[in-house]
Amino acid sequence: MERLQIANLPTPIHKIERLSQELGVNLYLKRDDFTGTEVSGNKVRKLEFSVAEALRQGCDTLITAGGIQSNHCRATAAVAAKLGLVCDLVIRGEIPNQIEGNLFIDHALGARAHLITPDESREAKMEEVVKNLKTEGHKPYVIPVGASNAIGSLGYAAAMEEIIQHENELGIYFDRVVIAVGSGGTYAGLWYANQQQATKRKILGYAVDHNTETFVEVIKDILKEMYQNDGLKVPKECKDIFINDQYIGVGYAKSTSEELEFIMKMSRENGFLLDPVYTGKGFYGMVSDIQKGKFQGAKNILFIHTGGLLGWTQEHREMALKTL
Ligand SMILES: *Cc1c(COP(=O)(O)O)cnc(C)c1O
């Protein structure tokens, strides 16, 4: 599969010294929030494959969808601007009072944002946008939400290989690789590449939306297509898909003051900032489970910081400051 080179790779892996001591484990952070500035986070790894495919098909326009503070939409807008492609974004959510964070950057990068309310259908709007683009003479390429299909997920199969290379250099083995799960592609890619290794490593996902059952199905569907694209036999059952849905809290992109207090504590005690929508919930879930003894037998744990810092909204910031 062809791939563009846009992300700043390989991303570094840091040991979180102080927290490791406190928890009695070796906890490491892979800085996928360092993949770039405008393209920051995990989506650019997937877009390296999705957009390569768009170019291969001769498309001149990228269309994708997401929420108001979608990191995926912003990264897509950045890749499009870099390559001189048109970018149309279908953005669904409560129309915000302020144009801030990712939504501002979407505009700065020249993407055309089509805002729709939660009562409107995303699919219908996407279809309408595609139709209009074709009438204008464009050749659009539709990237699914989060670029979470078999093509995009290859970005995280490649990231797993990057992790293995790092292990060899560091002389270390990560028993667990932990991430936040929003649309499933990051998890699917890591799982796929890990499965080709003869190791006992587990990939653990913390859902920030939907339940375990839903995600296991979504991930299995992506995996099935990945096996097929590689001309491999699809395993009868994809076992060992671990998705924890106990730390979603009050809902997608909504924070509790407990979560925000935790994020602020991590920042001041360890010197790194998590985002409130994905990594904050995932990291909170992981640390809580380590404290509950659910990581027994795991010596080295790697959490992937998948980015999202541009998604801190005024509301999150105000709530977080109140916890101090
Ligand atoms: C999209 C996103 C995730 C989740 O990745 P999926 O592949 O959608 O499951 C995690 N963290 C951040 C910051 C994201 O933007």
Side-chain angles (χ1 to χ4, degrees):
M1 202 61 205
E2 271 176 70
R3 171 186 189 170
L4 300 174
Q5 284 190 356
I6 296 173
N8 199 8
L9 302 179
T11 55
I13 292 180
H14 298 156
K15 185 166 182 196
I16 313 172
E17 293 284 356
R18 285 152 55 80
L19 183 61
S20 292
Q21 267 177 23
E22 194 184 315
L23 295 172
V25 291
N26 297 317
L27 199 52
Y28 292 81
L29 196 60
K30 183 165 174 66
R31 304 302 305 256
D32 274 12
D33 52 329
F34 287 17
T35 50
T37 298
E38 297 80 5
V39 295
S40 164
N42 63 337
K43 300 305 179 314
V44 65
R45 285 190 188 265
K46 305 192 214 175
L47 292 168
E48 285 192 337
F49 287 88
S50 310
V51 179
E53 176 61 15
L55 295 180
R56 195 189 66 78
Q57 292 184 18
C59 297
D60 64 0
T61 304
L62 302 179
I63 306 176
T64 197
I68 304 283
Q69 283 301 331
S70 167
N71 298 305
H72 166 66
C73 285
R74 180 256 309 149
T76 306
V79 172
K82 184 179 165 74
L83 299 175
L85 303 171
V86 177
C87 181
D88 280 69
L89 304 171
V90 172
I91 294 179
R92 185 157 164 261
E94 303 294 343
I95 307 299
N97 300 324
Q98 285 145 321
I99 307 281
E100 59 169 340
N102 284 308
L103 186 57
F104 166 71
I105 301 171
D106 294 342
H107 287 289
L109 292 164
R112 299 193 288 202
H114 308 271
L115 265 71
I116 56 172
T117 63
D119 329 318
E120 292 178 78
S121 154
R122 189 167 61 204
E123 290 71 26
K125 190 71 190 179
M126 297 271 278
E127 260 176 49
E128 182 193 317
V129 173
V130 168
K131 202 170 140 224
N132 290 342
L133 278 162
K134 284 185 178 160
T135 317
E136 289 171 22
H138 285 294
K139 191 164 179 205
Y141 183 83
V142 178
I143 299 172
V145 174
S148 282
N149 58 6
I151 297 176
S153 299
L154 288 173
Y156 269 86
M160 189 68 234
E161 279 154 26
E162 192 179 295
I163 291 168
I164 292 166
Q165 188 143 12
H166 234 118
E167 283 183 320
N168 296 336
E169 283 161 19
L170 295 168
I172 196 177
Y173 170 73
F174 297 114
D175 310 275
R176 304 281 184 275
V177 173
V178 186
I179 47 151
V181 177
S183 61
T186 302
Y187 189 97
L190 291 167
W191 192 97
Y192 187 72
N194 187 50
Q195 202 58 20
Q196 333 242 325
Q197 304 279 319
T199 101
K200 289 203 162 68
R201 182 195 338 270
K202 286 181 182 155
I203 312 292
L204 307 181
Y206 283 87
V208 301
D209 197 6
H210 311 301
N211 60 17
T212 298
E213 215 179 25
T214 307
F215 269 128
V216 169
E217 282 317 304
V218 166
I219 290 164
K220 276 186 179 169
D221 284 346
I222 300 172
L223 287 171
K224 197 172 152 199
E225 217 184 309
M226 290 180 88
Y227 279 110
Q228 283 166 346
N229 288 354
D230 279 343
L232 298 172
K233 203 166 151 264
V234 182
K236 265 215 188 71
E237 216 186 331
C238 294
K239 284 184 304 196
D240 301 330
I241 296 176
F242 301 104
I243 304 291
N244 184 323
D245 61 4
Q246 298 301 299
Y247 295 94
I248 298 169
V250 285
Y252 179 73
K254 296 195 178 82
S255 298
T256 63
S257 41
E258 207 182 344
E259 287 163 14
L260 294 173
E261 192 176 4
F262 172 84
I263 293 175
M264 298 299 261
K265 181 174 184 290
M266 286 301 114
S267 299
R268 100 185 148 253
E269 293 181 357
N270 300 283
F272 65 86
L273 182 59
L274 299 162
D275 82 290
V277 183
Y278 296 94
T279 56
K281 291 189 184 188
F283 203 86
Y284 181 57
M286 175 188 70
V287 169
S288 305
D289 281 348
I290 291 172
Q291 286 167 333
K292 287 180 193 161
K294 292 193 177 167
F295 276 69
Q296 246 155 42
K299 192 165 152 238
N300 301 312
I301 303 167
L302 179 69
F303 184 88
I304 306 182
H305 192 320
T306 41
L309 296 187
L310 299 167
W312 272 94
T313 61
Q314 178 68 15
E315 203 182 329
H316 288 128
R317 291 194 296 265
E318 273 173 19
M319 243 180 115
L321 287 171
K322 279 199 194 123
T323 69
L324 294 179

PDB file of all heavy atoms in Angstrom, residues 20 23-28 173-178 200-202 204 286 289-290 293-302:
ATOM      1  N   SER A  20       5.445   6.510  37.456  1.00  0.00           N
ATOM      2  CA  SER A  20       5.840   5.093  37.505  1.00  0.00           C
ATOM      3  C   SER A  20       6.191   4.693  38.928  1.00  0.00           C
ATOM      4  O   SER A  20       5.774   3.638  39.419  1.00  0.00           O
ATOM      5  CB  SER A  20       7.053   4.833  36.608  1.00  0.00           C
ATOM      6  OG  SER A  20       6.717   4.985  35.250  1.00  0.00           O
ATOM      7  N   LEU A  23       3.110   4.410  41.084  1.00  0.00           N
ATOM      8  CA  LEU A  23       2.217   3.283  40.799  1.00  0.00           C
ATOM      9  C   LEU A  23       2.914   1.923  40.910  1.00  0.00           C
ATOM     10  O   LEU A  23       2.251   0.879  40.897  1.00  0.00           O
ATOM     11  CB  LEU A  23       1.621   3.430  39.391  1.00  0.00           C
ATOM     12  CG  LEU A  23       0.702   4.628  39.148  1.00  0.00           C
ATOM     13  CD1 LEU A  23       0.363   4.746  37.666  1.00  0.00           C
ATOM     14  CD2 LEU A  23      -0.582   4.509  39.968  1.00  0.00           C
ATOM     15  N   GLY A  24       4.251   1.944  40.950  1.00  0.00           N
ATOM     16  CA  GLY A  24       4.980   0.678  41.030  1.00  0.00           C
ATOM     17  C   GLY A  24       4.999  -0.110  39.727  1.00  0.00           C
ATOM     18  O   GLY A  24       5.032  -1.344  39.738  1.00  0.00           O
ATOM     19  N   VAL A  25       4.940   0.590  38.596  1.00  0.00           N
ATOM     20  CA  VAL A  25       5.062  -0.054  37.266  1.00  0.00           C
ATOM     21  C   VAL A  25       5.975   0.833  36.417  1.00  0.00           C
ATOM     22  O   VAL A  25       6.284   1.954  36.810  1.00  0.00           O
ATOM     23  CB  VAL A  25       3.702  -0.163  36.530  1.00  0.00           C
ATOM     24  CG1 VAL A  25       2.776  -1.154  37.192  1.00  0.00           C
ATOM     25  CG2 VAL A  25       3.048   1.204  36.391  1.00  0.00           C
ATOM     26  N   ASN A  26       6.405   0.328  35.266  1.00  0.00           N
ATOM     27  CA  ASN A  26       7.154   1.176  34.338  1.00  0.00           C
ATOM     28  C   ASN A  26       6.181   1.680  33.283  1.00  0.00           C
ATOM     29  O   ASN A  26       5.720   0.906  32.446  1.00  0.00           O
ATOM     30  CB  ASN A  26       8.288   0.393  33.671  1.00  0.00           C
ATOM     31  CG  ASN A  26       9.290  -0.082  34.687  1.00  0.00           C
ATOM     32  OD1 ASN A  26       9.670   0.659  35.599  1.00  0.00           O
ATOM     33  ND2 ASN A  26       9.702  -1.334  34.560  1.00  0.00           N
ATOM     34  N   LEU A  27       5.878   2.956  33.382  1.00  0.00           N
ATOM     35  CA  LEU A  27       4.878   3.542  32.500  1.00  0.00           C
ATOM     36  C   LEU A  27       5.570   4.453  31.489  1.00  0.00           C
ATOM     37  O   LEU A  27       6.358   5.322  31.858  1.00  0.00           O
ATOM     38  CB  LEU A  27       3.908   4.345  33.370  1.00  0.00           C
ATOM     39  CG  LEU A  27       2.556   4.710  32.821  1.00  0.00           C
ATOM     40  CD1 LEU A  27       1.827   3.491  32.287  1.00  0.00           C
ATOM     41  CD2 LEU A  27       1.728   5.350  33.934  1.00  0.00           C
ATOM     42  N   TYR A  28       5.288   4.211  30.218  1.00  0.00           N
ATOM     43  CA  TYR A  28       5.916   4.986  29.136  1.00  0.00           C
ATOM     44  C   TYR A  28       4.846   5.692  28.326  1.00  0.00           C
ATOM     45  O   TYR A  28       3.705   5.225  28.229  1.00  0.00           O
ATOM     46  CB  TYR A  28       6.718   4.060  28.214  1.00  0.00           C
ATOM     47  CG  TYR A  28       7.937   3.467  28.858  1.00  0.00           C
ATOM     48  CD1 TYR A  28       7.825   2.345  29.690  1.00  0.00           C
ATOM     49  CD2 TYR A  28       9.202   4.004  28.651  1.00  0.00           C
ATOM     50  CE1 TYR A  28       8.948   1.790  30.289  1.00  0.00           C
ATOM     51  CE2 TYR A  28      10.328   3.455  29.246  1.00  0.00           C
ATOM     52  CZ  TYR A  28      10.199   2.351  30.064  1.00  0.00           C
ATOM     53  OH  TYR A  28      11.304   1.811  30.646  1.00  0.00           O
ATOM     54  N   TYR A 173      10.492  -4.594  26.527  1.00  0.00           N
ATOM     55  CA  TYR A 173       9.301  -5.205  25.925  1.00  0.00           C
ATOM     56  C   TYR A 173       8.065  -4.613  26.606  1.00  0.00           C
ATOM     57  O   TYR A 173       7.955  -4.629  27.833  1.00  0.00           O
ATOM     58  CB  TYR A 173       9.336  -6.731  26.107  1.00  0.00           C
ATOM     59  CG  TYR A 173       8.053  -7.432  25.734  1.00  0.00           C
ATOM     60  CD1 TYR A 173       7.683  -7.578  24.402  1.00  0.00           C
ATOM     61  CD2 TYR A 173       7.197  -7.938  26.717  1.00  0.00           C
ATOM     62  CE1 TYR A 173       6.494  -8.220  24.056  1.00  0.00           C
ATOM     63  CE2 TYR A 173       6.013  -8.578  26.384  1.00  0.00           C
ATOM     64  CZ  TYR A 173       5.668  -8.716  25.053  1.00  0.00           C
ATOM     65  OH  TYR A 173       4.493  -9.342  24.711  1.00  0.00           O
ATOM     66  N   PHE A 174       7.170  -4.070  25.802  1.00  0.00           N
ATOM     67  CA  PHE A 174       5.933  -3.510  26.363  1.00  0.00           C
ATOM     68  C   PHE A 174       4.873  -4.610  26.435  1.00  0.00           C
ATOM     69  O   PHE A 174       4.423  -5.104  25.413  1.00  0.00           O
ATOM     70  CB  PHE A 174       5.438  -2.333  25.515  1.00  0.00           C
ATOM     71  CG  PHE A 174       6.396  -1.172  25.490  1.00  0.00           C
ATOM     72  CD1 PHE A 174       7.034  -0.797  24.311  1.00  0.00           C
ATOM     73  CD2 PHE A 174       6.679  -0.465  26.650  1.00  0.00           C
ATOM     74  CE1 PHE A 174       7.933   0.271  24.297  1.00  0.00           C
ATOM     75  CE2 PHE A 174       7.572   0.600  26.643  1.00  0.00           C
ATOM     76  CZ  PHE A 174       8.204   0.961  25.458  1.00  0.00           C
ATOM     77  N   ASP A 175       4.488  -4.961  27.665  1.00  0.00           N
ATOM     78  CA  ASP A 175       3.458  -5.999  27.844  1.00  0.00           C
ATOM     79  C   ASP A 175       2.076  -5.503  27.426  1.00  0.00           C
ATOM     80  O   ASP A 175       1.219  -6.279  27.034  1.00  0.00           O
ATOM     81  CB  ASP A 175       3.323  -6.382  29.328  1.00  0.00           C
ATOM     82  CG  ASP A 175       4.638  -6.688  29.965  1.00  0.00           C
ATOM     83  OD1 ASP A 175       5.077  -7.823  29.840  1.00  0.00           O
ATOM     84  OD2 ASP A 175       5.230  -5.764  30.570  1.00  0.00           O
ATOM     85  N   ARG A 176       1.901  -4.185  27.594  1.00  0.00           N
ATOM     86  CA  ARG A 176       0.592  -3.602  27.264  1.00  0.00           C
ATOM     87  C   ARG A 176       0.796  -2.331  26.463  1.00  0.00           C
ATOM     88  O   ARG A 176       1.662  -1.512  26.806  1.00  0.00           O
ATOM     89  CB  ARG A 176      -0.169  -3.204  28.541  1.00  0.00           C
ATOM     90  CG  ARG A 176      -0.386  -4.320  29.547  1.00  0.00           C
ATOM     91  CD  ARG A 176      -1.524  -5.247  29.160  1.00  0.00           C
ATOM     92  NE  ARG A 176      -1.748  -6.232  30.204  1.00  0.00           N
ATOM     93  CZ  ARG A 176      -1.073  -7.383  30.306  1.00  0.00           C
ATOM     94  NH1 ARG A 176      -0.126  -7.688  29.439  1.00  0.00           N
ATOM     95  NH2 ARG A 176      -1.347  -8.228  31.285  1.00  0.00           N
ATOM     96  N   VAL A 177      -0.036  -2.167  25.430  1.00  0.00           N
ATOM     97  CA  VAL A 177      -0.088  -0.898  24.706  1.00  0.00           C
ATOM     98  C   VAL A 177      -1.503  -0.369  24.901  1.00  0.00           C
ATOM     99  O   VAL A 177      -2.482  -1.095  24.656  1.00  0.00           O
ATOM    100  CB  VAL A 177       0.245  -1.078  23.210  1.00  0.00           C
ATOM    101  CG1 VAL A 177       0.030   0.217  22.445  1.00  0.00           C
ATOM    102  CG2 VAL A 177       1.695  -1.556  23.039  1.00  0.00           C
ATOM    103  N   VAL A 178      -1.607   0.854  25.393  1.00  0.00           N
ATOM    104  CA  VAL A 178      -2.914   1.386  25.814  1.00  0.00           C
ATOM    105  C   VAL A 178      -3.259   2.651  25.023  1.00  0.00           C
ATOM    106  O   VAL A 178      -2.396   3.517  24.830  1.00  0.00           O
ATOM    107  CB  VAL A 178      -2.886   1.714  27.334  1.00  0.00           C
ATOM    108  CG1 VAL A 178      -4.259   2.118  27.828  1.00  0.00           C
ATOM    109  CG2 VAL A 178      -2.347   0.531  28.147  1.00  0.00           C
ATOM    110  N   LYS A 200       2.907 -12.138  23.750  1.00  0.00           N
ATOM    111  CA  LYS A 200       1.712 -12.114  24.612  1.00  0.00           C
ATOM    112  C   LYS A 200       1.224 -10.688  24.857  1.00  0.00           C
ATOM    113  O   LYS A 200       0.387 -10.446  25.713  1.00  0.00           O
ATOM    114  CB  LYS A 200       2.043 -12.765  25.959  1.00  0.00           C
ATOM    115  CG  LYS A 200       2.221 -14.268  25.891  1.00  0.00           C
ATOM    116  CD  LYS A 200       1.976 -14.876  27.277  1.00  0.00           C
ATOM    117  CE  LYS A 200       1.694 -16.363  27.236  1.00  0.00           C
ATOM    118  NZ  LYS A 200       2.855 -17.157  26.827  1.00  0.00           N
ATOM    119  N   ARG A 201       1.769  -9.760  24.113  1.00  0.00           N
ATOM    120  CA  ARG A 201       1.399  -8.364  24.314  1.00  0.00           C
ATOM    121  C   ARG A 201      -0.104  -8.165  24.104  1.00  0.00           C
ATOM    122  O   ARG A 201      -0.691  -8.709  23.179  1.00  0.00           O
ATOM    123  CB  ARG A 201       2.155  -7.498  23.300  1.00  0.00           C
ATOM    124  CG  ARG A 201       1.878  -6.038  23.462  1.00  0.00           C
ATOM    125  CD  ARG A 201       2.304  -5.151  22.302  1.00  0.00           C
ATOM    126  NE  ARG A 201       3.319  -5.691  21.431  1.00  0.00           N
ATOM    127  CZ  ARG A 201       4.627  -5.537  21.600  1.00  0.00           C
ATOM    128  NH1 ARG A 201       5.084  -4.876  22.627  1.00  0.00           N
ATOM    129  NH2 ARG A 201       5.480  -6.059  20.735  1.00  0.00           N
ATOM    130  N   LYS A 202      -0.680  -7.340  24.980  1.00  0.00           N
ATOM    131  CA  LYS A 202      -2.106  -7.033  24.822  1.00  0.00           C
ATOM    132  C   LYS A 202      -2.277  -5.569  24.434  1.00  0.00           C
ATOM    133  O   LYS A 202      -1.568  -4.700  24.945  1.00  0.00           O
ATOM    134  CB  LYS A 202      -2.847  -7.282  26.130  1.00  0.00           C
ATOM    135  CG  LYS A 202      -3.023  -8.752  26.430  1.00  0.00           C
ATOM    136  CD  LYS A 202      -3.793  -8.945  27.723  1.00  0.00           C
ATOM    137  CE  LYS A 202      -3.914 -10.428  28.032  1.00  0.00           C
ATOM    138  NZ  LYS A 202      -4.087 -10.667  29.478  1.00  0.00           N
ATOM    139  N   LEU A 204      -4.837  -2.593  24.768  1.00  0.00           N
ATOM    140  CA  LEU A 204      -6.000  -2.239  25.586  1.00  0.00           C
ATOM    141  C   LEU A 204      -6.566  -0.898  25.136  1.00  0.00           C
ATOM    142  O   LEU A 204      -5.837   0.096  25.047  1.00  0.00           O
ATOM    143  CB  LEU A 204      -5.608  -2.139  27.064  1.00  0.00           C
ATOM    144  CG  LEU A 204      -4.880  -3.333  27.688  1.00  0.00           C
ATOM    145  CD1 LEU A 204      -4.599  -3.055  29.165  1.00  0.00           C
ATOM    146  CD2 LEU A 204      -5.713  -4.601  27.556  1.00  0.00           C
ATOM    147  N   MET A 286      -6.803   4.047  32.577  1.00  0.00           N
ATOM    148  CA  MET A 286      -5.635   3.172  32.765  1.00  0.00           C
ATOM    149  C   MET A 286      -5.069   3.305  34.178  1.00  0.00           C
ATOM    150  O   MET A 286      -4.845   2.291  34.854  1.00  0.00           O
ATOM    151  CB  MET A 286      -4.562   3.511  31.736  1.00  0.00           C
ATOM    152  CG  MET A 286      -3.274   2.719  31.934  1.00  0.00           C
ATOM    153  SD  MET A 286      -1.945   3.279  30.870  1.00  0.00           S
ATOM    154  CE  MET A 286      -1.604   4.873  31.628  1.00  0.00           C
ATOM    155  N   ASP A 289      -7.299   1.720  36.714  1.00  0.00           N
ATOM    156  CA  ASP A 289      -7.240   0.254  36.664  1.00  0.00           C
ATOM    157  C   ASP A 289      -5.912  -0.275  37.215  1.00  0.00           C
ATOM    158  O   ASP A 289      -5.885  -1.348  37.817  1.00  0.00           O
ATOM    159  CB  ASP A 289      -7.473  -0.242  35.227  1.00  0.00           C
ATOM    160  CG  ASP A 289      -8.955  -0.223  34.856  1.00  0.00           C
ATOM    161  OD1 ASP A 289      -9.796  -0.054  35.770  1.00  0.00           O
ATOM    162  OD2 ASP A 289      -9.276  -0.380  33.660  1.00  0.00           O
ATOM    163  N   ILE A 290      -4.824   0.450  37.006  1.00  0.00           N
ATOM    164  CA  ILE A 290      -3.542   0.032  37.601  1.00  0.00           C
ATOM    165  C   ILE A 290      -3.692   0.061  39.119  1.00  0.00           C
ATOM    166  O   ILE A 290      -3.309  -0.878  39.820  1.00  0.00           O
ATOM    167  CB  ILE A 290      -2.379   0.953  37.139  1.00  0.00           C
ATOM    168  CG1 ILE A 290      -2.082   0.736  35.644  1.00  0.00           C
ATOM    169  CG2 ILE A 290      -1.105   0.672  37.960  1.00  0.00           C
ATOM    170  CD1 ILE A 290      -1.086   1.726  35.042  1.00  0.00           C
ATOM    171  N   GLY A 293      -5.375  -2.815  40.592  1.00  0.00           N
ATOM    172  CA  GLY A 293      -4.686  -4.106  40.443  1.00  0.00           C
ATOM    173  C   GLY A 293      -5.029  -4.855  39.171  1.00  0.00           C
ATOM    174  O   GLY A 293      -4.763  -6.041  39.033  1.00  0.00           O
ATOM    175  N   LYS A 294      -5.635  -4.153  38.208  1.00  0.00           N
ATOM    176  CA  LYS A 294      -6.071  -4.839  36.979  1.00  0.00           C
ATOM    177  C   LYS A 294      -4.952  -5.008  35.943  1.00  0.00           C
ATOM    178  O   LYS A 294      -5.187  -5.588  34.885  1.00  0.00           O
ATOM    179  CB  LYS A 294      -7.249  -4.086  36.355  1.00  0.00           C
ATOM    180  CG  LYS A 294      -8.485  -4.178  37.217  1.00  0.00           C
ATOM    181  CD  LYS A 294      -9.734  -3.714  36.510  1.00  0.00           C
ATOM    182  CE  LYS A 294     -10.935  -3.913  37.407  1.00  0.00           C
ATOM    183  NZ  LYS A 294     -12.118  -3.214  36.911  1.00  0.00           N
ATOM    184  N   PHE A 295      -3.774  -4.474  36.243  1.00  0.00           N
ATOM    185  CA  PHE A 295      -2.647  -4.618  35.308  1.00  0.00           C
ATOM    186  C   PHE A 295      -1.603  -5.576  35.878  1.00  0.00           C
ATOM    187  O   PHE A 295      -0.443  -5.514  35.505  1.00  0.00           O
ATOM    188  CB  PHE A 295      -2.008  -3.252  35.010  1.00  0.00           C
ATOM    189  CG  PHE A 295      -2.711  -2.482  33.931  1.00  0.00           C
ATOM    190  CD1 PHE A 295      -3.972  -1.957  34.138  1.00  0.00           C
ATOM    191  CD2 PHE A 295      -2.108  -2.275  32.693  1.00  0.00           C
ATOM    192  CE1 PHE A 295      -4.625  -1.235  33.146  1.00  0.00           C
ATOM    193  CE2 PHE A 295      -2.751  -1.558  31.691  1.00  0.00           C
ATOM    194  CZ  PHE A 295      -4.008  -1.039  31.918  1.00  0.00           C
ATOM    195  N   GLN A 296      -2.056  -6.454  36.775  1.00  0.00           N
ATOM    196  CA  GLN A 296      -1.083  -7.351  37.385  1.00  0.00           C
ATOM    197  C   GLN A 296      -0.383  -8.209  36.344  1.00  0.00           C
ATOM    198  O   GLN A 296      -1.013  -8.687  35.403  1.00  0.00           O
ATOM    199  CB  GLN A 296      -1.749  -8.209  38.447  1.00  0.00           C
ATOM    200  CG  GLN A 296      -1.182  -7.840  39.813  1.00  0.00           C
ATOM    201  CD  GLN A 296      -2.096  -8.143  40.934  1.00  0.00           C
ATOM    202  OE1 GLN A 296      -2.714  -9.190  40.927  1.00  0.00           O
ATOM    203  NE2 GLN A 296      -2.180  -7.242  41.883  1.00  0.00           N
ATOM    204  N   GLY A 297       0.943  -8.366  36.519  1.00  0.00           N
ATOM    205  CA  GLY A 297       1.719  -9.151  35.557  1.00  0.00           C
ATOM    206  C   GLY A 297       2.298  -8.296  34.448  1.00  0.00           C
ATOM    207  O   GLY A 297       3.134  -8.747  33.681  1.00  0.00           O
ATOM    208  N   ALA A 298       1.848  -7.044  34.343  1.00  0.00           N
ATOM    209  CA  ALA A 298       2.388  -6.150  33.308  1.00  0.00           C
ATOM    210  C   ALA A 298       3.521  -5.339  33.916  1.00  0.00           C
ATOM    211  O   ALA A 298       3.331  -4.623  34.885  1.00  0.00           O
ATOM    212  CB  ALA A 298       1.299  -5.231  32.790  1.00  0.00           C
ATOM    213  N   LYS A 299       4.701  -5.480  33.313  1.00  0.00           N
ATOM    214  CA  LYS A 299       5.869  -4.781  33.853  1.00  0.00           C
ATOM    215  C   LYS A 299       6.029  -3.419  33.175  1.00  0.00           C
ATOM    216  O   LYS A 299       6.189  -2.403  33.815  1.00  0.00           O
ATOM    217  CB  LYS A 299       7.097  -5.665  33.612  1.00  0.00           C
ATOM    218  CG  LYS A 299       8.316  -5.228  34.363  1.00  0.00           C
ATOM    219  CD  LYS A 299       9.373  -6.351  34.357  1.00  0.00           C
ATOM    220  CE  LYS A 299      10.754  -5.742  34.452  1.00  0.00           C
ATOM    221  NZ  LYS A 299      11.629  -6.093  33.355  1.00  0.00           N
ATOM    222  N   ASN A 300       5.978  -3.451  31.852  1.00  0.00           N
ATOM    223  CA  ASN A 300       6.161  -2.216  31.073  1.00  0.00           C
ATOM    224  C   ASN A 300       4.889  -1.898  30.306  1.00  0.00           C
ATOM    225  O   ASN A 300       4.407  -2.716  29.523  1.00  0.00           O
ATOM    226  CB  ASN A 300       7.326  -2.381  30.101  1.00  0.00           C
ATOM    227  CG  ASN A 300       8.618  -2.707  30.822  1.00  0.00           C
ATOM    228  OD1 ASN A 300       8.969  -2.062  31.804  1.00  0.00           O
ATOM    229  ND2 ASN A 300       9.306  -3.730  30.351  1.00  0.00           N
ATOM    230  N   ILE A 301       4.373  -0.724  30.558  1.00  0.00           N
ATOM    231  CA  ILE A 301       3.112  -0.311  29.930  1.00  0.00           C
ATOM    232  C   ILE A 301       3.373   0.922  29.069  1.00  0.00           C
ATOM    233  O   ILE A 301       4.008   1.874  29.527  1.00  0.00           O
ATOM    234  CB  ILE A 301       2.050   0.019  31.010  1.00  0.00           C
ATOM    235  CG1 ILE A 301       1.836  -1.197  31.928  1.00  0.00           C
ATOM    236  CG2 ILE A 301       0.743   0.476  30.379  1.00  0.00           C
ATOM    237  CD1 ILE A 301       1.046  -0.881  33.193  1.00  0.00           C
ATOM    238  N   LEU A 302       2.875   0.877  27.841  1.00  0.00           N
ATOM    239  CA  LEU A 302       3.051   2.020  26.931  1.00  0.00           C
ATOM    240  C   LEU A 302       1.698   2.644  26.628  1.00  0.00           C
ATOM    241  O   LEU A 302       0.807   1.986  26.074  1.00  0.00           O
ATOM    242  CB  LEU A 302       3.698   1.552  25.621  1.00  0.00           C
ATOM    243  CG  LEU A 302       3.915   2.640  24.557  1.00  0.00           C
ATOM    244  CD1 LEU A 302       4.982   3.629  25.004  1.00  0.00           C
ATOM    245  CD2 LEU A 302       4.311   2.021  23.219  1.00  0.00           C
TER     246      LEU A 302
END
